[in-house]
Amino acid sequence: NAGVTQTPKFRVLKTGQSMTLLCAQDMNHEYMYWYRQDPGMGLRLIHYSVGEGTTAKGEVPDGYNVSRLKKQNFLLGLESAAPSQTSVYFCASSYSDRSYEQYFGPGTRLTVT
Amino acid sequence: AQSVTQLDSQVPVFEEAPVELRCNYSSSVSVYLFWYVQYPNQGLQLLLKYLSGSTLVKGINGFEAEFNKSQTSFHLRKPSVHISDTAEYFCAVSRTGGYQKVTFGIGTKLQVIP
Protein backbone atom coordinates (compact mmCIF):
# COMPACT_ATOMS: atom_id res chain seq x y z
CA ASN A 1 0.00 0.00 0.00
CA ALA A 2 1.28 3.44 -0.93
CA GLY A 3 -1.05 5.09 1.62
CA VAL A 4 -1.63 8.77 0.82
CA THR A 5 0.39 10.29 -1.99
CA GLN A 6 0.59 13.91 -3.11
CA THR A 7 1.68 15.44 -6.40
CA PRO A 8 3.75 17.56 -6.80
CA LYS A 9 6.17 17.71 -3.86
CA PHE A 10 7.35 21.25 -4.59
CA ARG A 11 6.05 24.07 -6.74
CA VAL A 12 6.83 27.73 -7.30
CA LEU A 13 4.10 29.93 -8.77
CA LYS A 14 3.89 33.54 -9.73
CA THR A 15 1.05 35.65 -8.38
CA GLY A 16 -2.07 35.10 -10.44
CA GLN A 17 -1.09 31.70 -11.80
CA SER A 18 -3.26 28.66 -11.21
CA MET A 19 -2.45 25.10 -10.26
CA THR A 20 -3.97 21.87 -9.01
CA LEU A 21 -2.61 19.67 -6.25
CA LEU A 22 -3.48 16.00 -6.51
CA CYS A 23 -4.04 13.68 -3.56
CA ALA A 24 -4.56 9.96 -3.94
CA GLN A 25 -5.21 7.24 -1.35
CA ASP A 26 -5.38 3.50 -1.76
CA MET A 27 -6.96 2.60 1.60
CA ASN A 28 -10.58 2.89 0.45
CA HIS A 29 -11.17 5.72 2.93
CA GLU A 30 -14.44 7.59 2.69
CA TYR A 31 -13.20 10.88 4.12
CA MET A 32 -10.47 13.10 2.71
CA TYR A 33 -9.07 16.44 3.83
CA TRP A 34 -6.84 19.28 2.71
CA TYR A 35 -4.84 21.23 5.31
CA ARG A 36 -2.31 23.99 5.16
CA GLN A 37 0.54 24.24 7.66
CA ASP A 38 2.09 27.60 8.48
CA PRO A 39 4.72 28.38 11.14
CA GLY A 40 3.15 29.09 14.52
CA MET A 41 -0.36 28.26 13.29
CA GLY A 42 -0.45 24.49 13.26
CA LEU A 43 -2.68 22.78 10.73
CA ARG A 44 -5.76 24.51 9.39
CA LEU A 45 -8.46 22.69 7.46
CA ILE A 46 -9.13 24.12 4.00
CA HIS A 47 -11.77 21.75 2.61
CA TYR A 48 -12.87 18.21 3.25
CA SER A 49 -14.98 15.50 1.66
CA VAL A 50 -17.11 12.82 3.30
CA GLY A 51 -17.57 10.82 0.13
CA GLU A 52 -17.25 10.68 -3.63
CA GLY A 53 -18.94 13.68 -5.21
CA THR A 54 -19.19 15.66 -1.97
CA THR A 55 -17.09 18.53 -0.61
CA ALA A 56 -17.39 20.96 2.27
CA LYS A 57 -15.61 24.07 3.51
CA GLY A 58 -13.19 24.01 6.39
CA GLU A 59 -11.69 26.87 8.40
CA VAL A 60 -9.81 28.65 5.59
CA PRO A 61 -11.52 27.88 2.25
CA ASP A 62 -11.15 31.26 0.52
CA GLY A 63 -9.04 31.17 -2.63
CA TYR A 64 -9.25 27.38 -2.97
CA ASN A 65 -11.56 24.96 -4.72
CA VAL A 66 -11.75 21.18 -4.47
CA SER A 67 -13.23 18.26 -6.30
CA ARG A 68 -13.73 14.58 -5.50
CA LEU A 69 -14.84 12.88 -8.67
CA LYS A 70 -13.37 9.53 -7.64
CA LYS A 71 -13.30 8.08 -4.15
CA GLN A 72 -9.53 7.68 -4.15
CA ASN A 73 -8.67 11.20 -5.38
CA PHE A 74 -9.10 14.64 -3.87
CA LEU A 75 -7.95 17.66 -5.88
CA LEU A 76 -7.14 21.10 -4.49
CA GLY A 77 -7.14 24.01 -6.92
CA LEU A 78 -5.79 27.52 -6.68
CA GLU A 79 -7.39 29.64 -9.38
CA SER A 80 -5.31 32.78 -8.89
CA ALA A 81 -2.40 32.24 -6.54
CA ALA A 82 -1.46 34.90 -3.99
CA PRO A 83 1.68 35.21 -1.82
CA SER A 84 -0.51 34.52 1.24
CA GLN A 85 -1.01 31.00 -0.12
CA THR A 86 2.67 30.20 0.30
CA SER A 87 2.50 27.22 2.64
CA VAL A 88 2.94 23.50 3.03
CA TYR A 89 -0.20 21.63 1.99
CA PHE A 90 -1.12 18.27 3.45
CA CYS A 91 -3.74 15.86 2.29
CA ALA A 92 -5.18 13.30 4.70
CA SER A 93 -7.78 10.56 4.65
CA SER A 94 -9.72 8.48 7.17
CA TYR A 95 -12.46 5.91 7.58
CA SER A 96 -15.90 7.36 8.15
CA ASP A 97 -16.24 5.82 11.62
CA ARG A 98 -12.81 7.03 12.68
CA SER A 99 -12.51 10.54 11.29
CA TYR A 100 -10.14 11.41 14.09
CA GLU A 101 -7.51 8.89 12.94
CA GLN A 102 -6.21 10.55 9.84
CA TYR A 103 -3.48 9.32 7.53
CA PHE A 104 -1.38 12.08 6.06
CA GLY A 105 0.49 12.45 2.81
CA PRO A 106 4.08 13.78 2.68
CA GLY A 107 3.04 17.33 1.81
CA THR A 108 3.46 19.82 -1.03
CA ARG A 109 5.61 22.88 -0.45
CA LEU A 110 4.17 25.77 -2.46
CA THR A 111 5.83 29.15 -2.87
CA VAL A 112 3.99 32.03 -4.53
CA THR A 113 6.20 34.93 -5.58
CA ALA B 1 -16.28 25.14 19.82
CA GLN B 2 -13.22 23.19 20.84
CA SER B 3 -9.65 24.42 21.12
CA VAL B 4 -6.22 23.10 21.96
CA THR B 5 -3.33 24.89 23.63
CA GLN B 6 0.19 23.59 23.48
CA LEU B 7 2.04 25.49 26.13
CA ASP B 8 5.57 25.13 24.77
CA SER B 9 6.59 25.91 21.20
CA GLN B 10 10.04 24.33 21.63
CA VAL B 11 11.41 21.86 24.15
CA PRO B 12 15.13 21.06 24.17
CA VAL B 13 16.11 17.97 26.16
CA PHE B 14 19.25 15.89 26.50
CA GLU B 15 19.33 12.37 25.15
CA GLU B 16 18.16 9.74 27.68
CA ALA B 17 16.44 12.40 29.81
CA PRO B 18 12.67 12.33 30.42
CA VAL B 19 10.37 14.72 28.63
CA GLU B 20 6.84 16.05 29.04
CA LEU B 21 5.02 17.96 26.31
CA ARG B 22 2.02 19.84 27.64
CA CYS B 23 -1.42 20.07 26.09
CA ASN B 24 -4.62 21.62 27.41
CA TYR B 25 -7.96 21.55 25.66
CA SER B 26 -11.27 23.33 25.88
CA SER B 27 -14.62 21.83 24.98
CA SER B 28 -18.14 21.91 26.35
CA VAL B 29 -18.82 18.32 25.29
CA SER B 30 -17.08 14.95 25.43
CA VAL B 31 -13.93 14.73 23.37
CA TYR B 32 -11.41 12.38 21.92
CA LEU B 33 -7.75 13.39 22.31
CA PHE B 34 -4.71 12.63 20.18
CA TRP B 35 -1.04 13.21 19.76
CA TYR B 36 0.42 13.23 16.27
CA VAL B 37 4.14 13.33 15.40
CA GLN B 38 5.72 14.96 12.37
CA TYR B 39 9.28 14.03 11.47
CA PRO B 40 11.23 16.50 9.30
CA ASN B 41 9.85 16.79 5.78
CA GLN B 42 7.11 14.25 6.41
CA GLY B 43 3.39 14.23 7.06
CA LEU B 44 1.84 13.71 10.46
CA GLN B 45 1.29 10.24 11.90
CA LEU B 46 -0.82 9.21 14.86
CA LEU B 47 1.25 8.61 18.01
CA LEU B 48 -1.54 7.73 20.44
CA LYS B 49 -5.18 8.41 21.17
CA TYR B 50 -7.63 8.59 24.06
CA LEU B 51 -11.18 7.57 23.25
CA SER B 52 -12.48 6.21 26.54
CA GLY B 53 -11.55 3.91 29.42
CA SER B 54 -8.16 4.05 31.09
CA THR B 55 -6.86 7.58 31.36
CA LEU B 56 -3.28 6.45 30.73
CA VAL B 57 -2.73 5.60 27.10
CA LYS B 58 0.36 4.16 25.52
CA GLY B 59 1.51 4.86 22.02
CA ILE B 60 4.29 4.01 19.65
CA ASN B 61 7.98 4.54 20.35
CA GLY B 62 7.59 4.44 24.14
CA PHE B 63 5.40 7.51 24.45
CA GLU B 64 2.41 7.71 26.78
CA ALA B 65 -0.15 10.34 27.71
CA GLU B 66 -2.55 10.85 30.57
CA PHE B 67 -6.04 12.26 30.20
CA ASN B 68 -6.97 14.49 33.12
CA LYS B 69 -10.57 15.61 32.81
CA SER B 70 -10.56 17.92 35.82
CA GLN B 71 -7.53 19.82 34.52
CA THR B 72 -8.56 19.41 30.86
CA SER B 73 -5.08 18.24 30.03
CA PHE B 74 -3.52 15.52 27.92
CA HIS B 75 0.24 15.73 28.48
CA LEU B 76 2.63 13.54 26.52
CA ARG B 77 5.55 11.87 28.29
CA LYS B 78 8.52 9.68 27.58
CA PRO B 79 10.88 8.47 30.32
CA SER B 80 14.01 8.48 28.15
CA VAL B 81 14.28 10.21 24.79
CA HIS B 82 16.44 9.30 21.82
CA ILE B 83 17.89 11.39 19.04
CA SER B 84 15.33 9.85 16.71
CA ASP B 85 12.52 11.47 18.75
CA THR B 86 13.50 14.87 17.39
CA ALA B 87 10.30 15.97 15.67
CA GLU B 88 7.30 18.23 16.00
CA TYR B 89 4.43 16.97 18.13
CA PHE B 90 0.84 18.05 17.70
CA CYS B 91 -1.94 17.65 20.23
CA ALA B 92 -5.42 17.38 18.72
CA VAL B 93 -9.02 17.17 19.89
CA SER B 94 -12.22 15.97 18.30
CA ARG B 95 -15.77 15.83 19.57
CA THR B 96 -17.27 12.37 19.83
CA GLY B 97 -19.82 10.94 17.43
CA GLY B 98 -20.09 10.91 13.66
CA TYR B 99 -17.86 13.13 11.58
CA GLN B 100 -16.26 15.69 13.80
CA LYS B 101 -13.59 18.16 12.83
CA VAL B 102 -10.19 17.55 14.36
CA THR B 103 -8.66 20.68 15.86
CA PHE B 104 -4.88 20.68 16.01
CA GLY B 105 -2.62 22.62 18.34
CA ILE B 106 0.18 24.76 16.96
CA GLY B 107 2.78 22.10 17.67
CA THR B 108 5.76 21.62 19.99
CA LYS B 109 9.20 21.08 18.53
CA LEU B 110 11.15 18.53 20.53
CA GLN B 111 14.88 18.86 20.05
CA VAL B 112 16.92 16.03 21.53
CA ILE B 113 20.48 17.10 22.29
CA PRO B 114 23.21 14.44 22.13
Side-chain angles (χ1 to χ4, degrees), chain A residues 12-44:
Chain A
V12 178
L13 287 180
K14 293 185 177 178
T15 298
Q17 287 184 320
S18 63
M19 77 164 294
T20 300
L21 282 65
L22 171 63
C23 175
Q25 53 94 5
D26 61 1
M27 296 173 282
N28 203 33
H29 286 167
E30 293 87 359
Y31 292 177
M32 296 187 75
Y33 316 83
W34 275 107
Y35 293 92
R36 59 177 290 173
Q37 184 180 31
D38 302 291
M41 303 193 75
L43 272 77
R44 292 182 291 170

Side-chain angles (χ1 to χ4, degrees), chain A residues 37 48 90 100 102 104-105, chain B residues 34 36 38 43-44 51 90 99:
Chain A
Q37 184 180 31
Y48 65 97
F90 287 99
Y100 48 80
Q102 298 182 15
F104 284 80
Chain B
F34 318 92
Y36 281 80
Q38 183 181 30
L44 281 68
L51 304 182
F90 292 88
Y99 167 71

Side-chain angles (χ1 to χ4, degrees), chain A residues 41-92:
Chain A
M41 303 193 75
L43 272 77
R44 292 182 291 170
L45 184 65
I46 304 172
H47 286 280
Y48 65 97
S49 167
V50 298
E52 182 178 316
T54 73
T55 63
K57 294 180 179 179
E59 297 174 67
V60 289
D62 294 342
Y64 305 95
N65 57 76
V66 288
S67 64
R68 187 139 179 233
L69 300 179
K70 294 183 179 181
K71 185 177 183 178
Q72 63 268 35
N73 295 337
F74 195 29
L75 279 62
L76 177 71
L78 286 73
E79 290 184 348
S80 180
S84 61
Q85 295 178 302
T86 294
S87 187
V88 181
Y89 292 86
F90 287 99
C91 177

